[in-house]
Amino acid sequence: MSLRSPLRRVTGLGSAKGGASHWYAQRITAVALVLLGLWLVVSLVTMGGAAHEQVVAWLASPLAAALAVLLVITAAWHAVLGLQVVIEDYVGDKGTRLGVLLIVKFAFAVAAVIGVLAVLRIAFGVAA
């Protein structure tokens, strides 16, 4: 049984075989960002007016560091997925589209690595 309409079968139009996984990845990262964002906001609000050293000590704990790393990676991945859709929809020239997609993916990969290294630097207590 096929979910494609008879007209789609005849004309050969339909899914490019990548849209569903991209759509699910966007939704999963969105849900993860909501949960991780709530964790971060609640954690910071409960610390109230804590001193810098207390916040650093909190982020140095294994659970907080792991969740912060997940937040950084998930945010970067979600941003790339969203920008990819915008670029594919609005950049007409295929060469320009490919170039812009590569730049965006590289920029967010670099940003994610910097974010993860920053969290790990705090977690392992490396001095500035």
mmCIF file of all heavy atoms in Angstrom, residues 6 14 23-25 28 36 39-40 42 50 53 61 66 74 84 90 97 100 114:
data_model
loop_
_atom_site.group_PDB
_atom_site.id
_atom_site.type_symbol
_atom_site.label_atom_id
_atom_site.label_comp_id
_atom_site.label_asym_id
_atom_site.label_seq_id
_atom_site.Cartn_x
_atom_site.Cartn_y
_atom_site.Cartn_z
ATOM 1 N N PRO A 6 -2.466 8.527 -6.874
ATOM 2 C CA PRO A 6 -2.247 7.994 -8.219
ATOM 3 C C PRO A 6 -1.566 8.995 -9.140
ATOM 4 O O PRO A 6 -0.715 8.630 -9.949
ATOM 5 C CB PRO A 6 -3.658 7.663 -8.699
ATOM 6 C CG PRO A 6 -4.458 7.478 -7.462
ATOM 7 C CD PRO A 6 -3.852 8.386 -6.443
ATOM 8 N N GLY A 14 7.060 13.709 -5.775
ATOM 9 C CA GLY A 14 6.859 13.302 -4.387
ATOM 10 C C GLY A 14 8.109 13.531 -3.583
ATOM 11 O O GLY A 14 8.960 14.350 -3.922
ATOM 12 N N TRP A 23 12.599 16.714 8.988
ATOM 13 C CA TRP A 23 11.465 17.228 9.763
ATOM 14 C C TRP A 23 11.491 16.661 11.180
ATOM 15 O O TRP A 23 11.318 17.402 12.151
ATOM 16 C CB TRP A 23 10.157 16.862 9.061
ATOM 17 C CG TRP A 23 8.946 17.451 9.692
ATOM 18 C CD1 TRP A 23 8.412 18.685 9.454
ATOM 19 C CD2 TRP A 23 8.088 16.830 10.654
ATOM 20 N NE1 TRP A 23 7.287 18.862 10.220
ATOM 21 C CE2 TRP A 23 7.059 17.745 10.964
ATOM 22 C CE3 TRP A 23 8.089 15.594 11.286
ATOM 23 C CZ2 TRP A 23 6.052 17.460 11.876
ATOM 24 C CZ3 TRP A 23 7.085 15.314 12.195
ATOM 25 C CH2 TRP A 23 6.077 16.229 12.478
ATOM 26 N N TYR A 24 11.702 15.339 11.311
ATOM 27 C CA TYR A 24 11.773 14.718 12.634
ATOM 28 C C TYR A 24 12.957 15.245 13.433
ATOM 29 O O TYR A 24 12.844 15.492 14.638
ATOM 30 C CB TYR A 24 11.866 13.196 12.529
ATOM 31 C CG TYR A 24 10.537 12.538 12.247
ATOM 32 C CD1 TYR A 24 10.338 11.795 11.099
ATOM 33 C CD2 TYR A 24 9.473 12.663 13.129
ATOM 34 C CE1 TYR A 24 9.124 11.202 10.826
ATOM 35 C CE2 TYR A 24 8.247 12.073 12.871
ATOM 36 C CZ TYR A 24 8.079 11.331 11.719
ATOM 37 O OH TYR A 24 6.880 10.751 11.455
ATOM 38 N N ALA A 25 14.099 15.427 12.789
ATOM 39 C CA ALA A 25 15.280 15.943 13.489
ATOM 40 C C ALA A 25 15.015 17.342 14.029
ATOM 41 O O ALA A 25 15.410 17.667 15.158
ATOM 42 C CB ALA A 25 16.492 15.945 12.559
ATOM 43 N N ILE A 28 12.679 16.904 17.091
ATOM 44 C CA ILE A 28 13.369 16.302 18.233
ATOM 45 C C ILE A 28 14.316 17.306 18.869
ATOM 46 O O ILE A 28 14.358 17.444 20.101
ATOM 47 C CB ILE A 28 14.113 15.020 17.798
ATOM 48 C CG1 ILE A 28 13.090 13.931 17.487
ATOM 49 C CG2 ILE A 28 15.095 14.556 18.869
ATOM 50 C CD1 ILE A 28 13.681 12.712 16.811
ATOM 51 N N LEU A 36 16.074 21.264 27.786
ATOM 52 C CA LEU A 36 17.377 21.726 28.267
ATOM 53 C C LEU A 36 17.339 23.206 28.642
ATOM 54 O O LEU A 36 17.974 23.624 29.616
ATOM 55 C CB LEU A 36 18.453 21.466 27.210
ATOM 56 C CG LEU A 36 18.809 19.995 26.982
ATOM 57 C CD1 LEU A 36 19.642 19.830 25.717
ATOM 58 C CD2 LEU A 36 19.531 19.425 28.186
ATOM 59 N N TRP A 39 15.682 23.466 31.998
ATOM 60 C CA TRP A 39 16.644 23.050 33.019
ATOM 61 C C TRP A 39 17.610 24.191 33.340
ATOM 62 O O TRP A 39 17.863 24.490 34.510
ATOM 63 C CB TRP A 39 17.425 21.816 32.537
ATOM 64 C CG TRP A 39 18.697 21.627 33.297
ATOM 65 C CD1 TRP A 39 18.840 21.095 34.540
ATOM 66 C CD2 TRP A 39 20.001 22.015 32.871
ATOM 67 N NE1 TRP A 39 20.162 21.136 34.914
ATOM 68 C CE2 TRP A 39 20.900 21.689 33.912
ATOM 69 C CE3 TRP A 39 20.510 22.607 31.718
ATOM 70 C CZ2 TRP A 39 22.259 21.934 33.817
ATOM 71 C CZ3 TRP A 39 21.864 22.839 31.624
ATOM 72 C CH2 TRP A 39 22.720 22.507 32.661
ATOM 73 N N LEU A 40 18.145 24.836 32.310
ATOM 74 C CA LEU A 40 19.108 25.904 32.523
ATOM 75 C C LEU A 40 18.470 27.094 33.242
ATOM 76 O O LEU A 40 19.028 27.612 34.220
ATOM 77 C CB LEU A 40 19.706 26.366 31.192
ATOM 78 C CG LEU A 40 20.756 27.463 31.290
ATOM 79 C CD1 LEU A 40 21.982 26.961 32.027
ATOM 80 C CD2 LEU A 40 21.124 27.954 29.902
ATOM 81 N N VAL A 42 15.687 27.187 35.113
ATOM 82 C CA VAL A 42 15.314 26.825 36.488
ATOM 83 C C VAL A 42 16.552 26.751 37.373
ATOM 84 O O VAL A 42 16.554 27.240 38.506
ATOM 85 C CB VAL A 42 14.524 25.497 36.509
ATOM 86 C CG1 VAL A 42 14.386 24.952 37.916
ATOM 87 C CG2 VAL A 42 13.161 25.684 35.876
ATOM 88 N N ALA A 50 23.618 34.096 43.377
ATOM 89 C CA ALA A 50 24.847 33.363 43.713
ATOM 90 C C ALA A 50 26.071 34.067 43.140
ATOM 91 O O ALA A 50 26.014 34.711 42.097
ATOM 92 C CB ALA A 50 24.769 31.937 43.176
ATOM 93 N N GLU A 53 31.731 32.265 41.692
ATOM 94 C CA GLU A 53 32.380 31.009 42.073
ATOM 95 C C GLU A 53 31.366 29.890 42.285
ATOM 96 O O GLU A 53 31.628 28.735 41.959
ATOM 97 C CB GLU A 53 33.226 31.199 43.342
ATOM 98 C CG GLU A 53 34.419 32.119 43.166
ATOM 99 C CD GLU A 53 34.041 33.600 43.188
ATOM 100 O OE1 GLU A 53 32.944 33.947 43.693
ATOM 101 O OE2 GLU A 53 34.829 34.412 42.678
ATOM 102 N N SER A 61 30.010 20.528 38.027
ATOM 103 C CA SER A 61 29.482 19.213 38.402
ATOM 104 C C SER A 61 29.223 18.398 37.135
ATOM 105 O O SER A 61 28.858 18.953 36.087
ATOM 106 C CB SER A 61 28.195 19.361 39.215
ATOM 107 O OG SER A 61 27.136 19.791 38.393
ATOM 108 N N ALA A 66 27.465 17.970 31.600
ATOM 109 C CA ALA A 66 26.953 17.108 30.524
ATOM 110 C C ALA A 66 25.711 17.724 29.881
ATOM 111 O O ALA A 66 25.590 17.741 28.642
ATOM 112 C CB ALA A 66 26.638 15.714 31.066
ATOM 113 N N THR A 74 22.943 20.591 20.773
ATOM 114 C CA THR A 74 21.571 20.568 20.259
ATOM 115 C C THR A 74 21.184 21.906 19.652
ATOM 116 O O THR A 74 20.539 21.957 18.597
ATOM 117 C CB THR A 74 20.585 20.185 21.378
ATOM 118 O OG1 THR A 74 20.999 18.943 21.946
ATOM 119 C CG2 THR A 74 19.177 20.046 20.852
ATOM 120 N N GLN A 84 19.222 25.586 7.079
ATOM 121 C CA GLN A 84 19.274 24.802 5.844
ATOM 122 C C GLN A 84 17.969 24.901 5.079
ATOM 123 O O GLN A 84 17.970 25.081 3.859
ATOM 124 C CB GLN A 84 19.590 23.339 6.169
ATOM 125 C CG GLN A 84 19.665 22.456 4.943
ATOM 126 C CD GLN A 84 19.982 21.016 5.289
ATOM 127 O OE1 GLN A 84 20.434 20.705 6.376
ATOM 128 N NE2 GLN A 84 19.727 20.135 4.343
ATOM 129 N N TYR A 90 15.165 29.740 -0.345
ATOM 130 C CA TYR A 90 15.283 31.102 -0.846
ATOM 131 C C TYR A 90 16.542 31.413 -1.646
ATOM 132 O O TYR A 90 16.639 32.496 -2.208
ATOM 133 C CB TYR A 90 15.161 32.099 0.314
ATOM 134 C CG TYR A 90 13.777 32.076 0.912
ATOM 135 C CD1 TYR A 90 13.545 31.489 2.145
ATOM 136 C CD2 TYR A 90 12.696 32.601 0.220
ATOM 137 C CE1 TYR A 90 12.275 31.441 2.688
ATOM 138 C CE2 TYR A 90 11.423 32.568 0.756
ATOM 139 C CZ TYR A 90 11.214 31.983 1.989
ATOM 140 O OH TYR A 90 9.958 31.941 2.512
ATOM 141 N N ARG A 97 23.879 28.223 -3.307
ATOM 142 C CA ARG A 97 23.201 27.484 -2.241
ATOM 143 C C ARG A 97 24.173 26.528 -1.557
ATOM 144 O O ARG A 97 24.250 26.475 -0.323
ATOM 145 C CB ARG A 97 22.010 26.715 -2.798
ATOM 146 C CG ARG A 97 21.219 25.979 -1.740
ATOM 147 C CD ARG A 97 20.090 25.138 -2.319
ATOM 148 N NE ARG A 97 19.364 25.859 -3.359
ATOM 149 C CZ ARG A 97 18.910 25.282 -4.479
ATOM 150 N NH1 ARG A 97 19.110 24.002 -4.698
ATOM 151 N NH2 ARG A 97 18.264 25.989 -5.361
ATOM 152 N N VAL A 100 26.770 28.557 0.515
ATOM 153 C CA VAL A 100 26.205 29.121 1.737
ATOM 154 C C VAL A 100 25.930 28.016 2.757
ATOM 155 O O VAL A 100 26.198 28.180 3.955
ATOM 156 C CB VAL A 100 24.926 29.932 1.433
ATOM 157 C CG1 VAL A 100 24.224 30.367 2.697
ATOM 158 C CG2 VAL A 100 25.261 31.134 0.576
ATOM 159 N N ILE A 114 33.620 25.434 20.073
ATOM 160 C CA ILE A 114 34.028 26.467 21.032
ATOM 161 C C ILE A 114 33.160 26.403 22.286
ATOM 162 O O ILE A 114 33.663 26.493 23.413
ATOM 163 C CB ILE A 114 33.959 27.868 20.383
ATOM 164 C CG1 ILE A 114 35.061 28.001 19.325
ATOM 165 C CG2 ILE A 114 34.079 28.965 21.425
ATOM 166 C CD1 ILE A 114 34.945 29.238 18.462
#
